[in-house]
Each structure stands twice: as structure tokens, then as C-alpha cells.
Amino acid sequence: MQSNVNRLSALRDIMRHSGTTLTALAPGAHMHWVLGYHPHPDERPTYLLVGPQVAAMVVPSVNAQDIGSRVDVPLHVWTDEDGPSAAIRSALVAVLPGGPVRVSLDETMRADAALLLLDQLNAAERCFATETVGALRMHKDDAEFAALKTAASAADHAMQAGFAALRPGLTERQVADAIRAGFAKKDTPSAFCLVASGPNGAFPHHSTGDRVLQTGDAVVIDIGGTTGGFPSDMTRMALVGQAPEGYDDVHGIVERALQAAMAAARPGVVAKSVDKAARDVITQASYGEYFVHRTGHGLGLEVHEPPYLTATSETILQEGMVFSIEPGIYLPGRFGIRLEEIVILRKDGPEILSSLPRAAFISA
Ligand code: ZN
Ligand code: ZN
């Protein structure tokens, strides 16, 4: 991981270029990226305020000792009795250079904390921290690549545990239990576990439930865990005994769409061109109306983060970005098919983190 000093200085560079005089972050992924740590988010306003030269934190007294032992930033402490206003004011005096203020505000900050801060900044010009910290977070370093690969390999293990359990008569929930147990063997809490069988597969975000698997079901399995603070996300297909009618053709189309997106993903291209590459394959096969979501999303400290690979995204993809490629076709009343890889964008194209094949697994 880059040191916190490097990350703070990278943040100040991007603030300078965008004319931003203050970055205000709440406990969450942005703060974690900058500090390597974030306090537990709750209702007590807590901020990291980064100015052109000076940074400060506003923290409630109940957490001050713990935070102070973990970060190397001056703390402006407030008590439950007095409330946070005076601490916010003193921190702003310490970090702001004077003159007009342009703040980049953490888009995940609670509205009460955000308004409390903005009220003290009187009509500052503002943008979201997606433009500052978010832009920096899109570029991963070698330590992050390694952490994401470890997370991906835990997901591969969990997926195989799900495959091994698969048989007619089991419920979706029981397959999910087997997957969670697979994650647990890799010291990885499961973050989400979607098992969508038969017609349920036609709902891209089906809630895993009590449907009993039957011979001839296609099953969408989309899983992710958190390994050492980093997420995984992958989707594979499984067949209970045999494929439903028409399955192989549609799987082939989704696979070709995924490969087209892989071939289109190169440093320097706009994200929407990768979405288009996948979508064109599916549209030309006459299934365009059944591909009902974007082609991919970034993945780093969070399982969904920029860049987003949508039909309209103008984000320029660059070497070192990490994102999913996950086209799908969802046929109401029949089945759904999604295939999802997480890739690191290298100079010459995407490197896939998973080592599992994308052909459908067929249970006994
Ligand atoms: Zn995904
Ligand atoms: Zn997924």
C-alpha cells in the first residue's frame, strides 16, 4: 500500500489542480484510503478535513483516545455536552488558507454531518470527493493488486464449495450456506451470496430463498467476501444435472459478450466503449432487451466503486484500474445467465483474477 503521506500528497495535488481548498471526509472508504484506517461510523459527527497544507480531524471525545493512537493528524475534540460546532470551527481555522472555499465533500457522509459542516462554510463552492479521493482510488497499486488476488482466490474456493454441494432437492439457501462455509475456510466473511435457480435467475438481484433446486435448473451464483479488508465479486453458472432448453446458445452469447468486452478494455479507451462491445454482441444475437444492467463496476476498498462501465460513462480507462466485466441475459420465466470476472487493466489488456473456468458447472 502507498504510505499515508504519499496518499495525502497525491490528494493535495489533485485538489490543487481542481482548485479545491478543502476535502471533507466521513468515516468510510475514502477516509480509510487516506489514513489506512477509519473510525466506526455513527451519529456523532467525525470528519477528516484536508486543506492545502494542514489536515485535522474533528472527533467526539468518547473516541478521541482510540483515534489519536491510530492517526498522525491533530484532533479537534468535542464532547456530548458541548456538541461539535466549536470543534468544527477551530479545525476549519487550522486547515483553511483564507479566501474563497471550494470543498470536495465525501458523498457518503451523513446528511446531518454534511449540513453541519456546510453551514460553517457559508456558501462554499462544492463538489463530491468522487472527483478527488475517488479519482485517486481508481488507480490501484501492487499491494492492492495482491490483496484483491488473495480475495479472488478465496471466492474461487467458496464457489467450488457451492458447486460441490449442488444437487436436486437442496434449497438455494442451503447452497448459499455451503458457499459461506467455503469462504469461512479462507478466513473470509461472506459479504453477499446470490443463488438464483431456474426462473429466479431471470432476476439479476434475486434474494436467495427457499426454492428447491430441480433437475434441469440453470443456477446463477454471484458471490463475494471480504479477505483482509478487500472484497471479491464473481459470478458463475451451474446446471442441476442438465441444461434447460436453449441454455447452451445463450451461455455462448454471454461468453462472447464477455470476451468482446475483454478485447475492448485497453488503457486509453472510454468506459462506455467496453459496455458497447459487450452490448453489441448481445444485441446482434437479438437478446439486447434482456441485458438489463451495466457491463461492470470498479472494485477496491468497496465492492462497487468507480469506474462504472455503463453505456454513457466517459471515464478513460487506465492501466492499474480494477473492475468487473459481467454481461448477462435474463429470460423471464425461464432462466438467467451472468458471467462475471474481476480484472486488473494492464498495459496490454485485462488480467483476470479468478482461475475458475466460465463454462457452466454441471452437478451429478
Ligand atoms: Zn459485480
Ligand atoms: Zn457480482
Side-chain angles (χ1 to χ4, degrees), residues 54-79:
V54 179
M57 283 188 81
V58 175
V59 304
S61 59
V62 285
N63 297 337
Q65 200 176 18
D66 184 48
I67 294 172
S69 71
R70 293 164 185 270
V71 303
D72 189 21
V73 174
L75 304 186
H76 295 250
V77 180
W78 60 272
T79 63

Side-chain angles (χ1 to χ4, degrees), residues 178-196:
I179 291 167
R180 276 190 280 268
F183 271 126
K185 283 218 174 93
K186 296 289 174 183
D187 294 323
T188 298
S190 161
F192 59 93
C193 191
L194 176 148
V195 178

Side-chain angles (χ1 to χ4, degrees), residues 36 68 85-86 91 127 134 142 173 179 184 216 233 251 261 282 288 310 320 328 332 342 363:
S85 294
C127 67
D142 287 342
R173 216 185 293 276
I179 291 167
D233 184 9
H251 188 112
I282 292 175
T310 71
I342 301 298
S363 81

Side-chain angles (χ1 to χ4, degrees), residues 32-295:
H32 199 105
W33 187 88
V34 174
L35 294 177
Y37 155 82
H38 70 274
H40 181 72
D42 64 14
E43 76 289 356
R44 288 186 170 99
T46 303
Y47 310 90
L48 171 64
L49 302 174
V50 180
Q53 319 286 336
V54 179
M57 283 188 81
V58 175
V59 304
S61 59
V62 285
N63 297 337
Q65 200 176 18
D66 184 48
I67 294 172
S69 71
R70 293 164 185 270
V71 303
D72 189 21
V73 174
L75 304 186
H76 295 250
V77 180
W78 60 272
T79 63
D80 286 348
E81 193 178 1
D82 295 334
S85 294
I88 295 173
R89 210 170 308 123
S90 72
L92 288 174
V93 167
V95 304
L96 283 175
V101 175
R102 183 173 193 267
V103 58
S104 86
L105 186 70
D106 192 331
E107 69 278 11
T108 71
M109 188 180 288
R110 284 173 60 120
D112 51 2
L115 290 176
L116 201 60
L117 180 71
L118 290 173
D119 281 351
Q120 295 219 17
L121 290 172
N122 313 309
E125 205 190 316
R126 53 198 192 235
C127 67
F128 283 123
T130 40
E131 293 178 25
T132 53
V133 187
L136 294 168
R137 280 175 53 195
M138 285 199 286
H139 301 271
K140 272 68 180 180
D141 59 26
D142 287 342
E144 290 170 301
F145 297 149
L148 290 166
K149 279 185 188 177
T150 304
S153 110
D156 281 0
H157 180 85
M159 182 67 76
Q160 286 170 304
F163 288 163
L166 204 75
R167 60 174 187 277
L170 236 52
T171 64
E172 293 174 345
R173 216 185 293 276
Q174 286 171 312
V175 177
D177 288 343
I179 291 167
R180 276 190 280 268
F183 271 126
K185 283 218 174 93
K186 296 289 174 183
D187 294 323
T188 298
S190 161
F192 59 93
C193 191
L194 176 148
V195 178
S197 64
N200 289 343
F203 306 118
H205 282 173
H206 168 66
S207 299
T208 304
D210 291 321
R211 185 178 179 279
V212 175
L213 304 190
Q214 298 161 27
T215 300
D217 278 349
V219 187
V220 180
I221 306 180
D222 185 351
I223 62 173
T226 309
T227 314
F230 281 83
S232 53
D233 184 9
M234 73 181 307
T235 308
R236 289 294 186 270
M237 294 300 306
L239 299 169
V240 184
Q242 65 190 59
E245 202 186 322
Y247 179 88
D248 292 344
D249 281 351
V250 183
H251 188 112
I253 295 162
V254 176
E255 171 64 27
R256 290 209 318 277
L258 186 142
Q259 287 183 13
M262 292 279 178
R266 292 291 183 275
V269 309
V270 284
K272 68 180 180 185
S273 70
V274 178
D275 182 86
K276 184 175 188 310
R279 207 164 295 281
D280 281 354
V281 169
I282 292 175
T283 302
Q284 278 155 24
S286 306
Y287 286 98
E289 66 181 294
Y290 303 108
F291 178 17
V292 294
H293 55 71
R294 65 192 178 208
T295 293

Side-chain angles (χ1 to χ4, degrees), residues 192 222-224 233-235 297 303-304 324 326 338 340:
F192 59 93
D222 185 351
I223 62 173
D233 184 9
M234 73 181 307
T235 308
H297 56 83
V303 68
H304 287 177
S324 73
E326 48 179 309
R338 176 164 66 254
E340 176 178 24

